[in-house]
Amino acid sequence: MSVSVSASTLNTVLNGFFEDNSFVAGAEATTADVELFKALSDAPNAKALPHFARWYKNIASNVDSISAKPAEAPASKEEEDDDDIDLFGSDEEEDEELEKQKAQRLAEYRAKKEAKGPGPAAKSMVTFEIKPWEAETDLDELEELVKAISLDGLTWAQKGLQVPIAFGIKKLQINATVEDAKVSTDDLSEKIMELEDYVQSVDIAAFMKL
């Protein structure tokens, strides 16, 4: 899914992301933070985007030390050999001893794969824009109802934004972090639309892989 967003919308999305996260990935700054930092043309407005600006200031003061962190050590010869295990042997005549060796290699290979465990779950940050029926709609109440939607793999941002549209009507803009394998954005949009007394429409304003 590819979505084009304006710089202001992206800044709002990132501000919402850094409200709940200190860095792009994990508990400490990495080269991913440096790459995002270098992609920015200007420092975020601290008044309008306080969380984004906090992250920017932190990375700006440490960008050299973060960039200088040693890269992950290359795979050892033993690990490379593990990846090159021939599970099925050659086409030469096989005897009973060779069969035993293959079975042992296969068991060792599976044990090492299981010991590594599953990798981190793939996540995305989604910005929903929710339009009410009328200007009198209580957006604070609507936000609480939206955040009450609970799914395994879904985390709502702590606070949404109320963005003016026209004629006194405002829309609710709120971020959600989802585990891609567990949460469908289409299903989540449908659940928001079930709040039919409040919601006229739901759009995805931004979608960013984490």
Side-chain angles (χ1 to χ4, degrees):
M1 179 178 181
S2 178
V3 178
S4 297
V5 297
S6 65
S8 60
T9 298
L10 181 58
N11 286 343
T12 300
V13 170
L14 290 170
N15 186 64
F17 175 74
F18 288 118
E19 179 180 2
D20 302 317
N21 300 272
S22 298
F23 304 104
V24 171
E28 61 181 24
T30 65
T31 53
D33 292 274
V34 175
E35 291 175 4
L36 176 57
F37 175 83
K38 291 182 177 180
L40 300 173
S41 57
D42 297 298
N45 185 306
K47 184 176 181 181
L49 306 164
H51 308 295
F52 190 15
R54 167 185 51 76
W55 169 86
Y56 184 94
K57 183 178 179 181
N58 186 5
I59 300 304
S61 62
N62 296 283
V63 63
D64 291 336
S65 61
I66 298 170
S67 300
K69 285 184 178 180
E72 185 176 338
S76 66
K77 182 65 168 60
E78 180 181 351
E79 290 174 334
E80 291 176 355
D81 289 344
D82 288 342
D83 292 336
D84 293 336
I85 290 176
D86 182 2
L87 300 179
F88 303 101
S90 67
D91 292 332
E92 298 176 0
E93 184 177 356
E94 298 175 350
D95 56 19
E96 184 178 349
E97 183 62 29
L98 184 56
E99 288 292 339
K100 290 181 180 179
Q101 291 177 3
K102 288 199 299 178
Q104 181 179 355
R105 288 180 181 179
L106 181 58
E108 291 173 352
Y109 175 80
R110 287 176 175 171
K112 289 181 179 180
K113 293 288 285 184
E114 291 174 359
K116 290 180 180 179
K123 295 183 178 181
S124 301
M125 184 167 62
V126 189
T127 300
F128 290 97
E129 287 188 344
I130 306 168
K131 295 179 183 177
W133 287 107
E134 54 190 6
E136 288 73 23
T137 300
D138 188 337
L139 293 188
D140 290 329
E141 184 176 354
L142 173 57
E143 179 177 343
E144 292 304 315
L145 291 172
V146 169
K147 289 163 66 175
I149 297 173
S150 178
L151 297 171
D152 184 25
L154 167 65
T155 303
W156 292 105
Q158 293 182 0
K159 185 66 177 175
L161 296 176
Q162 297 182 13
V163 182
I165 304 175
F167 307 110
I169 299 177
K170 296 181 180 180
K171 62 185 176 182
L172 175 64
Q173 188 177 83
I174 187 167
N175 293 333
T177 302
V178 300
E179 290 187 28
D180 298 341
K182 295 181 178 180
V183 181
S184 162
T185 55
D186 290 338
D187 291 345
L188 187 51
S189 295
E190 289 179 5
K191 286 187 175 294
I192 297 173
M193 284 298 299
E194 289 175 2
L195 303 170
E196 55 188 18
D197 291 339
Y198 297 84
V199 178
Q200 181 187 74
S201 66
V202 178
D203 294 304
I204 295 178
F207 185 97
M208 182 173 68
K209 292 285 187 182
L210 301 180

